[in-house]
Amino acid sequence: MSVAATLARARLAARPQPTGSVVGAMGLTLTVEGVVAAVGDLVEVGAGLLAEVVAVSRDRLTCMPLGEISGVHAGAPVRATGMPLQVPVGEALLGRVLDGLGRPVDGLGPLGGGVDWVDLASETPHALSRRRVEEPLPVGVRALDTLVPVGKGQRLGIFAGSGVGKSTLLAQITRGTEADVRVIGLIGERGREVKEFLEENLGAEGMARTVVVVATSDEPPLVRLKAAFVATRIAEGFRDQGRDVLLLMDSITRTAMAQREVGLSAGEPPATRGYPPSVFAMMPRLLEKAGPGATGSITGLYTVLVEGDDHNEPIADTARSILDGHVVLTRRLATAGHFPAIDVLESISRVAGAVTSPARMADAREARRLMGALRDVKELVEIGAYQAGSDPLVDRARMLSPAIDAFLRQALEDTTSPDDAWSMLHRLVTAG
Ligand SMILES: Nc1ncnc2c1ncn2[C@@H]1O[C@H](COP(=O)(O)OP(=O)(O)OP(=O)(O)O)[C@@H](O)[C@H]1O
Ligand SMILES: [Mg+2]
């Protein structure tokens, strides 16, 4: 436990603790009287239900439970805990699966003494104290490492419709990355999928050096929302030790939906397509926490669900405006069995130039030029209207097309080192 947390607990233990009571419950909120607590603190309702104070007045607290509200009755006792939600950080978390509030759910026993407890709230590094993103962070996926390179401290969105392969790509990256530590937040996923993700996609090798925070779709909205911040806080703990952390969040859309439920229930008006303003305030608050620190870095990969493949939906739009790059997965590739279904030409890494040598950039540009040429004549070729010989670039691209395809397709269990990926790409663009 950190010194601050120990002190806070000691102060609390020394203080008289009046017990208050629940005077009302409506929607997701509880009204409590007789307890003194600050906004952000936790109170305990009855035996063990934690609730966060979201508003205070002279004699009342408005609280949101971090658990099931059913069964809470008027008059139920309420006790102040004197502190906000505490999150475990440290080495002992590696290989563990935690719930949305940071409690282990993997049946491997309590976290023990190897962790420190810190407040969930943390200071976002100031813009001017941050280093720039200038080193690549290889992820083991050829199409990304060469054509949409990820930099240490970059924040990248993975945009796709449902079932196009977002989660599988995250698992592949988790296994293939060279990052010291990976933290995965699974927010609002179906319970069945989580098990499949952990056991089949991630596997034992993926789990080592990884911390997973899970809040499935049946959890209360505040727990789902907290889970995203808990995963981020755990990543910050590792970053502050000077480590390069890869934070993977699946999905930012479901986190935004959780915030929507919380906001609407607290009486906020719906603004853009049913999302209240707090959603658009939460997103930068969460996403800005990733990035390079004074030492260490958090590289953030966030999946964004684009409903009905509508890339201008408000959450996707907001995410795109905050993040430093986007990877687009398309259903067209996925249904053709082309995995990972990355649409390279639609995907952009804003740090590509800063993390790649000029010679490699030239190869990447040439590869994109060939792919662009193929895309431009695709329809002509399909209807048989393209005449071989009419454009040398197109002819070359068509000849190389099977090799380009082989380069871009990559089996889930296959990891390619960045040097191998770059030399494959170099051979490809200089062939013929
Ligand atoms: N690399 C891959 N190799 C083979 N099949 C894949 C691959 N990636 C995805 N798939 C297929 O696509 C399906 C959906 O993948 P996945 O669950 O990763 O999609 P998703 O975008 O996360 O979906 P959701 O929107 O439901 O979360 C998988 O069950 C699998 O059949
Ligand atoms: Mg998924």
Side-chain angles (χ1 to χ4, degrees):
M1 194 181 295
S2 73
V3 177
T6 313
L7 275 178
R9 288 198 182 167
R11 267 204 306 276
L12 182 74
R15 200 158 75 191
Q17 285 186 40
T19 303
S21 57
V22 173
V23 294
M26 191 150 72
L28 294 176
T29 61
L30 293 174
T31 309
V32 169
E33 279 184 1
V35 179
V36 178
V39 171
D41 279 1
L42 294 186
V43 296
E44 188 183 352
V45 180
L49 172 64
L50 292 174
E52 185 177 87
V53 179
V54 293
V56 295
S57 64
R58 185 189 289 275
D59 53 354
R60 296 185 157 199
L61 303 177
T62 306
C63 307
M64 272 202 187
L66 294 162
E68 268 309 320
I69 193 170
S70 59
V72 172
H73 55 84
V78 179
R79 190 180 63 77
T81 67
M83 54 184 154
L85 182 63
Q86 301 288 296
V87 180
V89 296
E91 289 300 304
L93 295 178
L94 295 174
R96 302 298 305 259
V97 183
L98 311 176
D99 73 2
L101 304 180
R103 299 172 299 206
V105 287
D106 48 12
L108 299 177
L111 295 175
V115 298
D116 280 325
W117 292 88
V118 296
D119 285 357
L120 176 59
S122 66
E123 233 164 87
T124 303
H126 190 274
L128 297 182
S129 73
R130 290 186 167 201
R131 287 169 302 129
R132 295 167 50 146
V133 177
E134 35 202 19
E135 264 181 84
L137 180 73
V139 295
V141 177
R142 291 188 291 270
L144 294 181
D145 283 342
T146 56
L147 300 167
V148 198
V150 181
K152 285 182 185 168
Q154 186 182 12
R155 294 154 314 161
L156 208 72
I158 298 177
F159 292 74
S162 62
V164 180
K166 297 182 293 298
S167 305
T168 314
L169 180 60
L170 283 193
Q172 188 167 18
I173 291 172
T174 309
R175 288 185 184 189
T177 181
E178 291 183 3
D180 297 347
V181 173
R182 303 77 117 151
V183 180
I184 305 182
L186 300 176
I187 319 293
E189 297 285 302
R190 294 169 282 261
R192 175 185 53 77
E193 270 184 346
V194 168
K195 203 163 154 59
E196 187 180 297
F197 179 83
L198 294 179
E199 287 174 3
E200 285 170 31
N201 294 352
L202 206 52
E205 48 170 330
M207 254 329 273
R209 317 207 59 66
T210 301
V211 187
V212 181
V213 176
V214 185
T216 46
S217 53
D218 53 333
E219 304 271 357
L222 192 55
V223 175
R224 276 179 269 142
L225 178 60
K226 289 287 176 207
F229 284 89
V230 166
T232 306
R233 187 71 188 86
I234 290 172
E236 289 176 298
F238 286 110
R239 179 204 56 202
D240 294 343
Q241 298 174 357
R243 315 277 281 272
D244 290 314
V245 185
L246 183 61
L247 171 66
L248 307 117
M249 197 80 79
D250 195 9
S251 69
I252 200 70
T253 308
R254 300 233 160 88
T255 308
M257 289 174 176
Q259 175 72 57
R260 170 166 68 184
E261 282 182 57
V262 168
L264 293 178
S265 151
E268 265 190 274
T272 318
R273 289 214 208 167
Y275 287 100
S278 63
V279 172
F280 302 99
M282 179 278 291
M283 288 182 59
R285 237 177 353 103
L286 179 67
L287 302 178
E288 282 291 341
K289 288 190 181 294
T295 62
S297 62
I298 300 177
T299 307
L301 293 186
Y302 302 89
T303 64
V304 185
L305 183 68
V306 281
E307 281 177 79
D309 297 280
D310 170 12
H311 286 254
N312 294 322
E313 177 269 336
I315 298 305
D317 233 20
T318 309
R320 199 175 299 109
S321 72
I322 303 169
L323 299 168
D324 333 298
H326 54 269
V327 175
V328 177
L329 306 186
T330 66
R331 197 172 297 283
R332 181 175 51 77
L333 290 172
T335 48
H338 177 123
F339 288 110
I342 302 169
D343 186 337
V344 171
L345 293 174
E346 294 297 323
S347 304
I348 296 174
S349 164
R350 290 189 196 155
V351 305
V355 302
T356 317
S357 72
R360 287 181 166 179
M361 274 302 270
D363 286 348
R365 260 197 309 274
E366 179 63 11
R368 280 180 175 268
R369 208 164 72 96
L370 291 167
M371 287 181 226
L374 275 180
R375 181 177 66 178
D376 291 346
V377 296
K378 187 169 170 292
E379 278 162 21
L380 284 183
V381 171
E382 275 165 5
I383 58 169
Y386 177 75
Q387 287 277 324
S390 44
D391 181 342
L393 177 67
V394 171
D395 290 337
R396 198 163 105 76
R398 289 187 65 200
M399 181 194 70
L400 293 175
S401 168
I404 295 175
D405 234 42
F407 177 78
L408 296 177
R409 286 181 193 229
Q410 189 171 340
L412 172 59
E413 52 288 339
D414 174 11
T415 294
T416 306
S417 76
D419 285 341
D420 287 351
W422 281 111
S423 36
M424 282 169 83
L425 189 74
H426 184 71
R427 278 200 302 278
L428 183 74
V429 297
T430 50

